[in-house]
């Protein structure tokens, strides 16, 4: 035997063995020897029944049959008819050896693939077997392609006639509960599934049961039924903080891929203890299960669709979800995800409109908190600027009169930004007003004759204590009643004695205000205590400074010095100090100049933080 023959024989062994049905032992031994020499495995029989048993029950598949024309005609024909009826001719190459030409046509019609006339050679016999097997493979490929084409045509037809119109119908459903119910119902109908569950993400990050239906049990929960689903939500992480891959639903959501299981009781990779408990309680048997994540256009999972127990349309027997059914449900899930996503967007849009309306109301309320018109005591000038970075701000300022020619002014910056900071700001502003205007010291002073020296002395003493008293009371109130929110505010609160020109102040962790003397010398008023709302019993200290005619005091929040340019560079405190040294004719001019420089520095960059300023200027003697 040549090396090429050996290689050829070795390659053909991968197709299985050759079954020889011979009329005589001599033929069987001769053909077996020829094929063995070429590397084939062979098995020889002399009866049709024996051949059928070997073909049906042997653990080793046969790829070809040599049929001896010397067998009785009825034996040959009976074998071919029975092989054809069993479907085995689809995979077997049947070669007839010998016989008359008038018999060959009938046998070819019955399923014989080729024939070899006697006498024959091993090479010819091998070539005919190889050719017949090749033709079988080509025919199987054609059949497979035909099945694929038919499958695709059906899928396209289902998509055009069923899924796409259904997607349009789902998108038109305005009610979320009815939308979810229809998604689940249509998915069940497409697969003739007995049960289904729809899960939706919850605000706490878990997957909640939105709807359940089991036809055979008459069970319908959630959705439009109004009946609560008693099962707890599914967590995406287990008790060790690891991704919850043991649960089929959370795993499908985490990996964003469909999971198809033929029988839940033989699925070792998943924990179906809850499913089995449901089965025991309801005398049910969960078998096949298909879990499909519903993803939006950003590939985010916005729901999970799970179907159980697909049923054969004719017999009602539970079957596995075929690849075709899986593709159909995935197509439906894709359409349903679009409808659900649009519904969620619409619902979110409605909520955002309400939130925007509420924020606008809050913005207006916040503006109303600011002084509508600044007090302008004789001999003094006060100006303010307020530019929130968002619709509402955490910065605020206030100016209001106290008894006996005293004026309270304050600027503050609440930590964080947005609505929460604005609410905290409103609370602090109200507390400052309340504690500054209604203390017992003020009450006692108001009972005296305003023209008496005693009244003036007590009012002056009360004014000096007021800044400290107010800060302490505000700090303790916030910690006692709102310490759990972990919010605080830096604040500069001061009392101006209009006649004496003194400012008594407490700086609670705020940016040091800049006191600009008429000779262009700049002094800072550094912190005299911690931010308000951090430390119970916080130690705050009063300080006092005198403003001479022509001096001005600038209070500001860090949104000024930390104003950012397009490249991220800050405006800086040094630049602000240099700017306030420049002579100005009024407090308003000072603020306008600073705002102009801030706009030039930002050069169109987005404002990052609230900008708030309050300027106090003592007029010169010449101004009156």
């Amino acid at each position: 035997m040549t090396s090429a023959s050996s290689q050829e024989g070795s390659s053909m062994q991968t197709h299985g063995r050759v079954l020889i049905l011979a009329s005589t032992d001599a033929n069987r031994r001769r053909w077996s020897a020829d094929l063995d020499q070429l590397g084939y495995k062979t098995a020889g029989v002399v009866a049709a029944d024996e051949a059928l048993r070997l073909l049906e029950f042997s653990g080793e598949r046969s790829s070809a049959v040599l049929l001896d024309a010397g067998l009785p005609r009825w034996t040959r024909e009976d074998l071919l008819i029975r092989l054809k009826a069993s479907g085995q001719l689809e995979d077997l190459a049947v070669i007839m050896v010998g016989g008359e030409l008038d018999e060959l046509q009938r046998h070819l019609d019955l399923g014989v693939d080729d024939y070899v006339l006697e006498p024959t050679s091993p090479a010819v016999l091998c070539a005919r077997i190889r050719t017949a097997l090749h033709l079988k493979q080509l025919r199987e490929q054609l059949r497979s392609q035909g099945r694929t084409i038919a499958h695709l045509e059906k899928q396209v037809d289902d998509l055009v006639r069923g899924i796409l119109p259904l997607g349009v119908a789902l998108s038109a459903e305005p009610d979320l509960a009815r939308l979810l119910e229809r998604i689940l119902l249509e998915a069940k109908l497409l697969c003739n599934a007995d049960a289904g569950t729809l899960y939706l993400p919850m605000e706490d990050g878990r997957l909640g049961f939105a709807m359940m239906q089991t036809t055979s049990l008459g069970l319908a929960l959630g959705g439009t039924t109004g009946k609560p689903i008693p099962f707890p939500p599914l967590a995406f992480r287990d008790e060790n903080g690891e991704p919850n891959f043991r649960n089929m639903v959370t795993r499908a959501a985490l990996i964003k891929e469909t999971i198809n299981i033929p029988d839940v009781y033989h699925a070792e990779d998943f924990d179906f203890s809850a499913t089995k408990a449901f089965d025991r309680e309801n005398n049910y048997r969960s078998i096949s299960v298909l879990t499909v994540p519903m993803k939006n256009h950003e590939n985010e999972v916005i729901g999970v669709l799970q179907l159980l127990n697909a049923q054969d349309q004719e017999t009602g027997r539970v079957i596995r979800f075929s690849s075709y059914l899986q593709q159909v449900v995935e197509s439906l899930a894709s359409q349903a995800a679009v409808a659900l996503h649009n519904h969620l967007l619409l619902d979110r849009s409605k909520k955002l409109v309400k939130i925007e309306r509420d924020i606008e109301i809050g913005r207006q309320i916040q503006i109303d908190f600011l002084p509508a018109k600044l007090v302008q005591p004789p001999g003094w000038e006060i100006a303010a600027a307020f530019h929130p970075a968002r619709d509402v701000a955490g910065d605020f300022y206030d100016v209001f009169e106290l008894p006996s020619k005293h004026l309270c002014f304050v600027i503050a910056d609440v930590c964080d930004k947005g609505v929460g900071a604005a609410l905290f700001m409103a609370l602090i502003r109200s507390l400052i007003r309340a504690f500054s205007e209604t203390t017992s010291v003020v009450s006692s002073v108001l009972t005296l004759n305003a023209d008496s020296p005693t009244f003036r002395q007590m009012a002056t003493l009360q004014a000096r204590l007021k800044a400290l008293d107010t800060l302490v009371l505000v700090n303790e109130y916030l910690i006692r009643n709102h310490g759990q929110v972990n919010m605080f505010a830096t604040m500069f609160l001061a009392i101006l004695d209009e006649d004496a020109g003194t400012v008594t102040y407490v700086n609670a962790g705020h940016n040091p205000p800049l006191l600009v003397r008429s000779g262009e010398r700049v002094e800072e008023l550094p912190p005299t205590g911690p931010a308000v709302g951090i430390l119970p019993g916080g130690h705050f200290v009063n300080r006092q400074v005198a403003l001479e005619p022509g001096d001005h005091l600038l209070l500001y929040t860090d949104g000024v010095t930390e104003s950012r340019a397009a490249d991220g560079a800050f405006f800086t405190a040094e630049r602000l100090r240099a700017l306030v040294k420049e002579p100005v004719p009024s407090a308003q001019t000072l603020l306008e100049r600073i705002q102009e420089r801030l706009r030039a520095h930002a050069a169109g960059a987005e404002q990052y933080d609230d900008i708030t300023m309050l300027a106090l200027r003592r007029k010169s003697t010449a101004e009156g």
Side-chain angles (χ1 to χ4, degrees):
M1 181 169 54
T2 64
S3 175
S5 298
S6 298
Q7 292 174 1
E8 182 182 78
S10 176
S11 67
M12 292 301 294
Q13 289 180 17
T14 60
H15 296 291
R17 62 181 178 176
V18 178
L19 181 64
I20 301 173
L21 183 58
S23 58
T24 64
D25 288 341
N27 285 346
R28 180 177 55 77
R29 285 194 297 270
R30 177 163 57 88
W31 296 336
S32 179
D34 291 341
L35 293 174
D36 288 344
Q37 187 181 18
L38 294 173
Y40 285 92
K41 292 182 180 180
T42 60
V45 295
V46 295
D49 289 342
E50 187 178 1
L52 287 170
R53 282 195 300 272
L54 280 175
L55 290 172
E56 291 178 359
F57 302 112
S58 174
E60 187 173 0
R61 185 175 66 88
S62 296
S63 57
V65 174
L66 287 186
L67 186 59
D68 188 357
L71 291 167
R73 177 176 173 177
W74 66 268
T75 300
R76 285 176 272 141
E77 293 183 359
D78 181 58
L79 176 63
L80 292 172
I81 290 172
R82 293 168 68 180
L83 286 175
K84 188 173 185 179
S86 67
Q88 295 186 76
L89 284 180
E90 298 289 336
D91 300 320
L92 280 172
V94 180
I95 311 297
M96 187 170 173
V97 182
E100 301 296 332
L101 290 177
D102 59 346
E103 289 186 320
L104 290 177
Q105 184 59 52
R106 176 173 174 77
H107 284 77
L108 289 172
D109 293 340
L110 290 173
V112 169
D113 296 289
D114 203 351
Y115 64 91
V116 180
L117 297 178
E118 289 277 45
T120 184
S121 68
V124 171
L125 192 60
C126 178
R128 293 297 177 85
I129 293 175
R130 185 173 63 249
T131 300
L133 289 173
H134 183 61
L135 290 173
K136 288 282 186 183
Q137 293 171 356
L138 291 177
R139 284 195 290 269
E140 176 55 32
Q141 290 176 7
L142 286 174
R143 286 194 298 270
S144 177
Q145 291 175 358
R147 289 192 295 268
T148 300
I149 292 173
H151 171 77
L152 292 175
E153 288 176 346
K154 186 177 187 319
Q155 190 172 4
V156 170
D157 186 67
D158 288 344
L159 183 64
V160 173
R161 296 178 181 273
I163 302 299
L164 291 180
L166 179 58
V168 174
L170 291 175
S171 296
E173 176 56 65
D175 184 77
L176 178 60
R178 287 197 297 267
L179 172 63
L180 298 177
E181 190 171 64
R182 184 160 186 186
I183 291 172
L184 187 59
L185 177 61
E186 296 292 348
K188 287 179 58 189
L189 289 174
L190 284 172
C191 300
N192 196 29
D194 182 54
T197 305
L198 194 58
Y199 303 83
L200 294 180
M202 301 173 64
E203 292 184 358
D204 62 4
R206 295 180 295 172
L207 270 179
F209 289 76
M211 182 169 295
M212 289 183 64
Q213 290 183 356
T214 305
T215 303
S216 62
L217 296 177
L219 178 67
L221 302 174
T224 61
T225 68
K227 299 178 181 178
I229 299 177
F231 307 115
L234 306 178
F236 282 106
R237 294 193 173 274
D238 59 24
E239 59 277 6
N240 298 318
E242 298 296 324
N244 188 7
F245 289 139
R246 290 284 293 164
N247 185 283
M248 185 178 183
V249 177
T250 53
R251 180 168 182 172
L254 287 168
I255 66 176
K256 301 180 181 181
E257 294 179 3
T258 298
I259 301 176
N260 191 343
I261 293 180
D263 191 338
V264 300
Y265 283 77
H266 295 87
E268 297 180 355
D269 293 337
F270 298 97
D271 177 13
F272 282 108
S273 57
T275 302
K276 294 174 182 178
F278 176 87
D279 287 356
R280 289 192 300 270
E281 293 173 6
N282 296 277
N283 194 26
Y284 192 72
R285 175 61 164 89
S286 301
I287 301 176
S288 56
V289 57
L290 180 70
T291 305
V292 183
M294 300 166 61
K295 298 173 285 188
N296 63 16
H297 65 285
E298 295 178 345
N299 201 37
E300 298 171 333
V301 175
I302 59 174
V304 178
L305 177 62
Q306 186 175 72
L307 300 174
L308 283 90
N309 289 0
Q311 299 170 104
D312 185 89
Q313 295 283 359
E314 297 181 357
T315 66
R317 183 175 58 87
V318 175
I319 59 176
R320 69 168 297 164
F321 289 88
S322 65
S323 60
Y324 173 72
L325 289 180
Q326 177 176 326
Q327 290 172 354
V328 168
V329 176
E330 287 174 339
S331 298
L332 170 64
S334 179
Q335 294 292 312
V338 172
L340 180 58
H341 181 66
N342 290 339
H343 192 286
L344 295 176
L345 284 180
L346 180 60
D347 184 61
R348 189 176 303 168
S349 177
K350 291 178 181 178
K351 291 180 180 178
L352 286 176
V353 169
K354 185 179 185 303
I355 291 173
E356 288 175 358
R357 188 181 301 114
D358 292 342
I359 289 177
E360 175 59 27
I361 294 172
R363 186 184 72 82
Q364 187 58 50
I365 292 174
Q366 185 174 47
I367 291 175
D368 293 342
F369 274 150
L370 302 177
K373 185 178 180 181
L374 291 175
V375 179
Q376 302 293 333
W380 295 87
E381 182 187 8
I382 301 175
F386 178 68
H387 301 285
R390 302 182 184 179
D391 291 324
V392 291
D395 284 7
F396 78 96
Y397 70 90
D398 200 3
V399 180
F400 54 94
E401 292 181 290
L402 294 174
S404 188
K405 293 186 177 182
H406 287 80
L407 190 74
C408 180
F409 60 97
V410 60
I411 190 170
D413 184 358
V414 176
C415 69
D416 207 355
K417 303 174 182 64
V419 175
L423 292 173
F424 205 65
M425 176 279 292
L427 172 64
I428 293 178
R429 182 262 186 194
S430 299
L431 291 174
I432 290 174
R433 283 263 183 162
F435 291 143
S436 295
E437 295 177 347
T438 59
T439 62
S440 59
V441 177
V442 171
S443 299
S444 63
V445 169
L446 291 177
T447 62
L448 300 176
N449 188 318
D451 295 328
S452 70
T454 306
F455 180 92
R456 180 63 182 167
Q457 293 171 359
M458 292 187 66
T460 301
L461 175 62
Q462 190 272 339
R464 292 179 178 177
L465 296 175
K466 181 63 65 176
L468 180 60
D469 293 342
T470 300
L471 258 296
V472 171
L473 291 171
V474 170
N475 183 67
E476 294 304 315
Y477 182 93
L478 292 177
I479 293 174
R480 183 173 63 253
N481 296 283
H482 304 285
Q484 71 278 5
V485 301
N486 295 319
M487 296 190 74
F488 61 90
T490 64
M491 185 186 309
F492 183 90
L493 188 147
I495 306 296
L496 169 66
D497 186 327
E498 300 168 14
D499 290 343
T502 58
V503 173
T504 304
Y505 69 88
V506 178
N507 186 341
H510 197 73
N511 302 303
L514 302 177
L515 174 56
V516 184
R517 300 296 186 181
S518 57
E520 298 183 4
R521 180 168 54 88
V522 179
E523 300 175 10
E524 290 187 348
L525 307 184
T528 63
V532 176
I534 295 180
L535 298 174
H539 182 63
F540 300 96
V541 178
N542 266 340
R543 292 283 185 268
Q544 190 176 84
V545 64
L547 270 68
E548 302 298 333
D551 292 351
H552 55 265
L553 179 65
L554 175 67
L555 284 63
Y556 64 93
T557 60
D558 56 10
V560 175
T561 54
E562 295 179 5
S563 175
R564 299 184 182 184
D567 61 359
F570 290 145
F571 186 76
T572 72
E574 290 75 15
R575 190 173 298 178
L576 181 63
R577 285 175 61 93
L579 182 58
V580 299
K581 286 182 179 180
E582 301 176 10
V584 291
S586 67
Q588 185 63 37
T589 303
L590 173 63
L591 296 188
E592 290 175 353
R593 179 182 296 174
I594 295 173
Q595 291 172 91
E596 181 182 350
R597 298 292 178 85
L598 288 174
R599 286 192 294 270
H601 175 75
E606 183 179 1
Q607 183 179 333
Y608 177 74
D609 200 359
D610 304 326
I611 294 175
T612 306
M613 293 181 287
L614 185 64
L616 176 73
R617 178 175 176 270
R618 187 172 188 181
K619 295 180 180 180
S620 64
T621 306
E623 293 177 276

